[in-house]
């Protein structure tokens, strides 16, 4: 929904020397040893993060090209391997190589709420992650890794025309068509099995649509800086509340007219040079680079579609909202408006998070997902 309304420096190498260090020379200072140790840790974390991203891309590549993985072609799904339960009590490690701030600490076991509750004892330990407009399942790679390390089962879905899904975005004409990979996934769940739906950005409207269709298959719904509307509203109706107040969004939007300039736009894209300021203002540079080559246009018809949400179905699913306080795409005032208009069960505030907390605050976001999953 927020999608609507450098660098490498050459190392200065010292010239080689043939002199050996005198045995009487003073030892390396503790600050030098600390700097070297910290650099090695950051390098290890960066290599680990690259390996995770490469594994996800490899799986998606196999899926897209008819590989041996038994995944539906319309979705990018990741499931915990056989060792997940064995490692369920191990400490999650960060997928980010950036320096950690005090508002995004490495989680310690005693910091997790309801720590006496085991993951296997929850009503469901299965998260289904739904990306926002222009994004894809790829944007969740840090969240997937952290949740799986904690013993959770995770599925990340590519909506129609997103991520590695091959459908042409400009040919999408309805919400039902756009969210079909998600609704197909929920429809195939075994009877009695439930999931926790997580929607980001325009993904909030998508999970709302799914909640109306499959309320008995959804334990909880989490909205992360996402569109959360009332019945009869469209995402565009919500966006219009901030019309004129978000100049950056207006500057970034590029409307595409596949049916001709005299017809309504079929999709919209974002100006690459403005992506960082709009969506990733607090994200690591490498994640911004990943997004800049991975994002695709957002279909316009689903954004215009007004949803029919009933108290019996949509209203029966427990809703939780995670606010992103440094968001330039969906300002906190707009998030507050949606929350006040349709109050969820509980609201969480993610400090220091921009519009993409799965990149800017992966550990803090993970902590909230785990906390919400354990709310009885």
């Amino acid at each position: 929904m927020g999608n609507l309304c450098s660098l490498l420096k050459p190392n200065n190498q010292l010239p080689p020397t043939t002199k050996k260090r005198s045995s009487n020379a003073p030892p390396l200072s503790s600050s030098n040893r600390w700097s070297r140790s910290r650099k090695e840790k950051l390098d290890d974390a960066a290599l680990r993060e690259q390996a995770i991203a490469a594994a996800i891309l490899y799986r998606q590549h196999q899926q897209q090209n008819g590989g041996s993985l038994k995944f539906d072609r319309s979705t990018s799904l990741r499931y915990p391997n056989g060792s997940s339960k064995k490692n369920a009590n191990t400490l999650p490690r960060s997928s980010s190589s950036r320096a950690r701030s005090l508002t995004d600490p490495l989680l310690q076991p005693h910091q997790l709420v309801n720590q006496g509750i085991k993951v296997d004892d929850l009503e469901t330990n299965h998260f289904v992650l739904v990306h926002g407009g222009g994004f894809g399942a790829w944007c969740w790679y840090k969240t997937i890794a952290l949740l799986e390390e904690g013993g959770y089962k995770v599925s990340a879905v590519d909506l129609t025309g997103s991520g590695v899904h091959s459908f042409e975005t400009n040919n999408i004409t309805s919400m039902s068509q756009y969210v079909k990979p998600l609704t197909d996934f929920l429809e195939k769940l075994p009877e009695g099995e439930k999931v926790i739906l997580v929607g980001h950005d325009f993904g909030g409207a998508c999970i709302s649509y799914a909640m109306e269709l499959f309320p008995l298959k959804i334990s909880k719904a989490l909205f992360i800086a996402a569109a959360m509307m009332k019945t009869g509203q469209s995402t565009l109706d919500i966006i219009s509340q901030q019309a004129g107040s978000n100049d950056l969004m207006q500057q970034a939007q590029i409307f595409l007219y596949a049916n001709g300039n005299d017809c309504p736009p079929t999709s919209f894209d974002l100006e690459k040079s403005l992506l960082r300021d709009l969506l990733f203002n607090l994200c690591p540079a490498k994640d911004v680079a990943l997004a800049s080559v991975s994002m695709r246009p957002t279909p316009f018809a689903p954004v215009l579609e007004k949803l029919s949400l009933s108290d019996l179905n949509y209203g029966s699913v427990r809703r939780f909202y995670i606010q992103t306080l440094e968001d330039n795409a969906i300002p906190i005032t707009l998030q507050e408006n949606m929350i006040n208009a349709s109050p969820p069960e509980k609201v969480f505030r993610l400090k220091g998070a921009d519009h993409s907390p799965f990149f800017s605050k992966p550990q803090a976001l993970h902590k909230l997902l785990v906390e919400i999953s354990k709310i009885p």
Side-chain angles (χ1 to χ4, degrees):
M1 169 184 145
N3 300 340
L4 289 178
C5 295
S6 34
L7 306 150
L8 298 177
K9 297 182 179 179
N11 291 326
N12 295 323
Q13 298 182 349
L14 295 175
T17 176
T18 58
K19 294 182 179 180
K20 294 185 178 180
R21 187 168 178 265
S22 169
S23 59
N24 296 323
L28 290 174
S29 68
S30 59
S31 61
N32 288 339
R33 288 198 301 271
W34 183 88
S35 298
R36 181 177 300 174
S37 173
R38 182 175 182 273
K39 181 178 185 301
E40 290 173 353
K41 290 181 180 179
L42 291 180
D43 288 344
D44 288 344
L47 288 174
R48 180 175 177 276
E49 181 173 321
Q50 292 170 7
I52 293 171
I56 292 175
L57 291 175
Y58 174 70
R59 288 196 181 196
Q60 291 183 340
H61 177 75
Q62 279 195 313
Q63 171 192 353
Q64 191 175 27
N65 293 279
S68 59
L69 291 178
K70 297 180 181 180
F71 293 156
D72 185 275
R73 285 183 60 85
S74 64
T75 55
S76 295
L77 307 178
R78 282 179 53 86
Y79 299 96
N81 55 35
S83 63
S84 294
K85 290 185 179 180
K86 178 178 68 176
N87 298 327
N89 294 323
T90 60
L91 182 65
R93 293 177 60 193
S94 172
S95 298
S96 174
S97 62
R98 63 187 171 85
R100 197 178 307 280
S101 72
L102 294 177
T103 57
D104 185 20
L106 180 64
L107 300 180
Q108 301 297 328
H110 67 273
Q111 292 177 294
L112 296 176
V113 297
N114 301 318
Q115 56 181 334
I117 300 177
K118 296 181 180 179
V119 170
D120 291 339
D121 294 336
L122 299 175
E123 180 183 22
T124 178
N125 63 0
H126 189 175
F127 280 93
V128 177
L129 309 178
V130 182
H131 61 81
F135 290 85
W138 52 266
C139 74
W140 299 106
Y141 78 95
K142 294 180 181 180
T143 302
I144 290 171
L146 289 169
L147 286 172
E148 286 185 348
E149 288 177 355
Y152 288 90
K153 183 177 180 180
V154 188
S155 303
V157 181
D158 274 323
L159 300 177
T160 305
S162 305
V164 299
H165 194 283
S166 59
F167 197 84
E168 169 55 47
T169 305
N170 287 302
N171 293 335
I172 298 172
T173 58
S174 67
M175 177 68 85
S176 63
Q177 185 182 13
Y178 182 56
V179 302
K180 192 174 188 302
L182 173 60
T183 53
D184 284 351
F185 176 82
L186 293 173
E187 188 173 19
K188 293 174 184 177
L189 282 176
E191 185 175 354
E193 183 174 337
K194 291 188 175 185
V195 299
I196 299 174
L197 270 188
V198 181
H200 168 250
D201 187 80
F202 184 40
C206 299
I207 68 171
S208 297
Y209 184 92
M211 290 158 64
E212 179 65 25
L213 295 179
F214 302 100
L216 298 181
K217 294 189 174 185
I218 303 168
S219 171
K220 296 168 184 171
L222 281 58
F223 294 75
I224 304 175
M228 187 174 66
M229 62 269 291
K230 298 186 297 183
T231 187
Q233 281 188 316
S234 69
T235 303
L236 186 62
D237 292 333
I238 294 177
I239 288 294
S240 64
Q241 297 176 20
Q242 64 172 5
S245 63
N246 195 337
D247 293 336
L248 184 59
M249 174 67 74
Q250 295 179 14
Q251 294 174 33
Q253 290 175 358
I254 303 173
F255 288 94
L256 306 177
Y257 298 83
N259 298 328
N261 292 336
D262 55 340
C263 296
T266 49
S267 64
F268 66 90
D269 209 345
L270 294 174
E271 173 60 48
K272 299 295 184 185
S273 64
L274 298 177
L275 279 180
R276 175 185 284 278
D277 291 339
L278 183 63
L279 305 177
F280 312 109
N281 47 297
L282 296 175
C283 294
K286 57 183 173 293
D287 291 325
V288 181
L290 172 65
S292 67
V293 298
S294 304
M295 294 190 72
R296 296 176 62 179
T298 303
F300 199 57
V303 175
L304 296 175
E305 188 168 327
K306 297 182 183 295
L307 299 187
S308 178
L309 306 173
S310 67
D311 291 337
L312 180 64
N313 294 335
Y314 170 84
S316 68
V317 180
R318 302 172 67 185
R319 289 179 293 124
F320 300 85
Y321 201 99
I322 298 178
Q323 293 181 304
T324 46
L325 303 188
E326 306 297 331
D327 197 322
N328 289 340
I330 304 184
I332 189 64
T333 53
L334 180 56
Q335 296 180 43
E336 292 283 359
N337 288 344
M338 291 186 286
I339 290 168
N340 292 334
S342 182
E345 182 173 325
K346 192 170 183 180
V347 177
F348 298 83
R349 296 168 66 85
L350 200 51
K351 296 179 180 179
D354 57 17
H355 188 61
S356 305
F358 36 75
F359 289 156
S360 61
K361 285 290 180 182
Q363 282 281 349
L365 175 61
H366 170 71
K367 179 180 178 181
L368 290 183
L369 295 182
V370 170
E371 179 176 344
I372 295 171
S373 75
K374 295 185 176 184
I375 295 177

